[in-house]
Amino acid sequence: MRPLLLALLTAFSLGLTAAGKPNVVIILADDLGYGDLGCYGHPTIKTPNLDKMAAEGARFTQFYVAAEVCTPSRASLLTGRYPIRSGMAHNQFRVLRAISTGGLPSTEVTIAQALKAQGYATGMVGKWHLGVWTNSPEHHPLKHGFDFHFGLPHSNDMNPSAGNPVKAGARVDQDAAWWNAPLFRGYELVDPKADQTQLTRRYTEEATNFIAANRTQPFFLYFAHTFPHTPLFASDRFKGKSSRGIYGDVVEELDWSVGEIFKALKEQGVADNTLVVFTSDNGPWLLMGTETGGSAGLLRDGKGSTWEGGMRVPGIFWMPGKIKPTVERNVASTLDLFPSVIRLAGGSMPSDRPMDGVDLTGLLMNQEKIERDVFCYYRGEQLYAARLGAWKLHLITQAGYGEKPVTHEKPLLYNLEVDPSENHEISAEHPDVVARLQAAIAKHRATVTPVRSQLIDVVAK
Ligand code: MG
């Protein structure tokens, strides 16, 4: 069939016309755990807007990110590729730092670039963490397909003032003055030391303004929140309100923000033609302790680890009239966003490189079965584990922080459908499954050509 005819038929089957291409909003929390939302079972954090989104859309119970920390996870979300392919992973450094000069290579194609080619207006609000443009201007979101940008270049803890307030007896999450969060609009520094208690509100205003300004054309909004990455700050309206403490205050303010996005979509008359996705970049930062670290619920470990708690996160998809309300138990991942939204927009996938995601539109809209190959759990540049169907095989295990890696001569096997907490190792009972997973891993590895890591280059001293 001729490509144009095929594209037209595809558009017709999805109920799209050229002018009616759906808008796409991806909301990404930072370090929010699998167990931190009401609709994922948190007993005290109140998230009515996300709970409503989940009730009206598809709430995935087995939704993954493709890395266990910020930078590689975000790279994989935007490119639809494991970060090992783009050089956005490193075993030691793990994420880009404020002094880094590396960033997302210009040869990578982002969702924003692919949608821009389909006539979309593209905006990015929030934390980027794919290159520090004050060190390397080419790593700015505006160089990666976004027309509009407002936010921080990196995490909110990466540019501290001199001295250590913890040693001085102060609580870092309460000492706003100690943290420098440089807030930019495009390349313009609008606030060198942004008040972090106002960040969620300011981001939300920018995001809703972007929606209003682009209501008459298809748009893509990538809204990457700074929180609940520590240090934690909430505005006066939310501070001290949650019985979960400051972490609950912060998540409840994020939930308010989600409600404002829905309000804006409805007010602008575009809610019926918009896909909204909510997820997190990695699991909870358990190292932060009881009050400021989140929860992975029943999953093992958290951020930094390839145990489930590090990489299985909330994943909610909402599109009224297209996505039926459901609890979706199929495996899916942020790698799937690229092929899914490109399909919705009527575009085509890059054909000159391996892509790692699966188009979810058939599953989400027509309950079609999806064919999924092995899902790989990388930590830095190393493949630690892989999942195929219900089964997960660990080649290397390591807690998120404070442990050395353990390479297993006999890999560990878990059945995640039966044992999501990874408590019962059963490789001895299923040698055939171990062999099947090892073959799948070998097949995946044959597709990987490692490239030089972008995370090792820093500003010369
Ligand atoms: Mg993170």
Side-chain angles (χ1 to χ4, degrees), residues 162-237:
N164 186 334
V166 178
K167 284 184 184 156
R171 280 274 308 279
V172 290
D173 53 316
Q174 290 173 355
D175 185 2
W178 192 61
W179 303 98
N180 300 305
L183 189 58
F184 288 80
R185 182 186 304 282
Y187 284 99
E188 182 199 352
L189 180 62
V190 295
D191 198 341
K193 204 177 174 70
D195 176 356
Q196 294 203 39
T197 67
Q198 301 304 308
L199 265 188
T200 298
R201 182 189 59 75
R202 289 178 82 174
Y203 284 172
T204 305
E205 271 175 24
E206 297 288 338
T208 54
N209 287 344
F210 175 83
I211 291 169
N214 293 287
R215 66 184 183 280
T216 57
Q217 65 183 104
F219 63 80
F220 168 51
L221 171 64
Y222 172 51
F223 186 0
H225 279 282
T226 279
F227 298 117
H229 190 290
T230 64
L232 298 174
F233 295 101
S235 68
D236 283 346
R237 189 173 156 193

Side-chain angles (χ1 to χ4, degrees), residues 30-31 70 74 127 229 281-282 303:
D30 193 350
D31 296 3
C70 299
R74 285 148 201 268
K127 166 177 155 178
H229 190 290
D281 70 335
N282 50 252
K303 173 178 177 175

Side-chain angles (χ1 to χ4, degrees), residues 14-277:
L14 290 169
L16 309 175
T17 62
K21 289 184 178 188
N23 309 303
V24 178
V25 177
I26 297 175
I27 305 174
L28 185 70
D30 193 350
D31 296 3
L32 181 83
Y34 185 78
D36 283 327
L37 301 179
C39 53
Y40 279 84
H42 198 282
T44 54
I45 299 176
K46 296 175 191 155
T47 53
N49 293 298
L50 283 159
D51 298 353
K52 184 166 187 280
M53 177 185 179
E56 293 174 357
R59 179 175 71 82
F60 281 81
T61 59
Q62 308 197 74
F63 193 77
Y64 290 92
V65 285
E68 24 63 65
V69 287
C70 299
T71 295
S73 173
R74 285 148 201 268
S76 54
L77 183 155
L78 283 180
T79 63
R81 285 150 56 81
Y82 287 112
I84 187 78
R85 301 194 195 278
S86 57
M88 293 299 280
H90 190 267
N91 294 339
Q92 182 189 345
F93 297 120
R94 310 186 73 181
V95 298
L96 291 165
R97 296 160 285 163
I99 56 169
S100 295
T101 55
L104 190 65
S106 59
T107 47
E108 290 297 312
V109 179
T110 66
I111 293 177
Q113 284 163 318
L115 290 181
K116 203 170 155 68
Q118 296 303 314
Y120 278 62
T122 53
M124 194 261 151
V125 173
K127 166 177 155 178
W128 177 238
H129 215 176
L130 295 176
V132 181
W133 52 83
T134 46
N135 303 332
S136 308
E138 71 271 26
H139 294 314
H140 196 284
L142 296 179
K143 300 285 190 188
H144 288 282
F146 291 100
D147 306 322
F148 171 79
H149 162 261
F150 180 86
L152 304 183
H154 47 58
S155 307
N156 59 339
D157 63 344
M158 290 190 151
N159 194 19
S161 302
N164 186 334
V166 178
K167 284 184 184 156
R171 280 274 308 279
V172 290
D173 53 316
Q174 290 173 355
D175 185 2
W178 192 61
W179 303 98
N180 300 305
L183 189 58
F184 288 80
R185 182 186 304 282
Y187 284 99
E188 182 199 352
L189 180 62
V190 295
D191 198 341
K193 204 177 174 70
D195 176 356
Q196 294 203 39
T197 67
Q198 301 304 308
L199 265 188
T200 298
R201 182 189 59 75
R202 289 178 82 174
Y203 284 172
T204 305
E205 271 175 24
E206 297 288 338
T208 54
N209 287 344
F210 175 83
I211 291 169
N214 293 287
R215 66 184 183 280
T216 57
Q217 65 183 104
F219 63 80
F220 168 51
L221 171 64
Y222 172 51
F223 186 0
H225 279 282
T226 279
F227 298 117
H229 190 290
T230 64
L232 298 174
F233 295 101
S235 68
D236 283 346
R237 189 173 156 193
F238 292 92
K239 193 176 175 191
K241 299 289 161 56
S242 171
S243 60
R244 167 63 178 85
I246 181 67
Y247 190 92
D249 297 340
V250 166
V251 174
E252 290 183 7
E253 188 156 21
L254 293 183
D255 180 76
W256 162 83
S257 171
V258 170
E260 292 299 297
I261 296 296
F262 279 108
K263 206 187 283 178
L265 293 171
K266 283 171 188 155
E267 280 171 7
Q268 301 305 331
V270 296
D272 288 345
N273 194 32
T274 302
L275 168 69
V276 184
V277 179

